[in-house]
Amino acid sequence: MKSVITLDNVKKMEVRSEDLDKVKIPFKKPVELKVIHQEKEYYLLIYLRRRTEQLLVLSNGAVDPKKKTPPIYMRSSWVEELPGSLIFIDDPTLHGTNLKLGWGQGTDGTFFLENIASFIDKLSNRLKYKRENIYFYGSSAGGFMSMMYATMLKGSKAIVNNPQTNVLKYHEASVKPLLLHSYGTDDKDKVMEEFPQRVYVVEAFKYYGNIPVIYYFQNKKCDTDMRKHLTPLIVDMQKEKQNIKKLYVQHYFNKAAGHNPIPKEGTIRLLNLAMSGNLDYHI
């Protein structure tokens, strides 16, 4: 029988961030790990497998606050089909809000993505996963966060589907409430001026001094994604003389799907292929 993660069968653990290098996580049992860092709570859902050298870290796309309240671990019901050991990341930006998207922005004083990247680094070292075997996956906002994590943790890779590359170019109905919550202003120009490395991956590449390998799956029939995210990414990487060869773009064509992610079966297949180094996807 396949394992399905529910609140009833998840083991709950709590640890302070400075003790992550000592935490003991059991194999083949879902564990919700609450990490306390500077009196803020962060949540990870972990599922470890024996006899695998690979770690897959998954981030959330948009959530519906009317249907689910944080912590939220998108795609955690796929645990048996997904490859490698698994960490599902909840975005603490959304806690105590009605926001659908947080992009890991945190507050002007605390960039949550940086903190979470440090947790993943400590945990992966503790669990003996090498950087080159760590893959970050997500679609839409989860894709943005995955590229950011891989940028912060040099040697790791990102696998993304229809991601945002620039938070500020997404729909204003989602962006402006997020900016007000995280930065106390909805002035996008001001946020870009003060925090460019938080909201645009090209700026993050410069700030952290790293361009990760990115397997980028894009529906070419989603005009908004192409015009506001993928095309500017390529243009600006070239303008900045960044290593565009690290960006592997795979287009597919599905007008009906639009911005929606590739369905479960296709996503699991592309994850297995990308994590095996096979670039012949044929979605």
Side-chain angles (χ1 to χ4, degrees), residues 260-280:
N260 291 325
I262 296 168
K264 176 181 176 181
E265 182 180 343
T267 295
I268 291 169
R269 183 160 54 86
L270 72 84
L271 286 170
N272 276 286
L273 288 168
M275 290 170 69
S276 68
N278 185 343
L279 302 184
D280 187 18

Side-chain angles (χ1 to χ4, degrees), residues 179-278:
L179 296 184
L180 282 169
H181 171 74
S182 292
Y183 300 107
T185 178
D186 63 2
D187 187 333
K188 293 190 285 187
D189 291 336
K190 182 179 180 181
V191 173
M192 177 57 89
E193 181 181 350
E194 294 185 11
F195 304 101
Q197 75 279 7
R198 292 193 184 191
V199 295
Y200 188 23
V201 295
V202 171
E203 293 294 331
F205 296 159
K206 289 195 291 186
Y207 183 83
Y208 296 102
N210 177 48
I211 301 169
V213 169
I214 300 172
Y215 301 108
Y216 196 120
F217 296 86
Q218 178 61 55
N219 185 1
K220 202 166 183 178
K221 289 296 186 180
C222 183
D223 175 69
T224 303
D225 284 352
M226 291 295 300
R227 183 166 37 86
K228 293 188 175 182
H229 297 282
L230 179 54
T231 299
L233 172 68
I234 294 171
V235 169
D236 288 347
M237 285 184 72
Q238 291 174 327
K239 189 184 300 180
E240 296 289 341
K241 295 182 169 53
Q242 295 175 341
N243 189 356
I244 199 78
K245 292 181 180 179
K246 289 194 170 184
L247 183 64
Y248 296 87
V249 179
Q250 174 80 25
H251 288 301
Y252 61 99
F253 303 83
N254 188 330
K255 187 173 182 178
H259 180 66
N260 291 325
I262 296 168
K264 176 181 176 181
E265 182 180 343
T267 295
I268 291 169
R269 183 160 54 86
L270 72 84
L271 286 170
N272 276 286
L273 288 168
M275 290 170 69
S276 68
N278 185 343

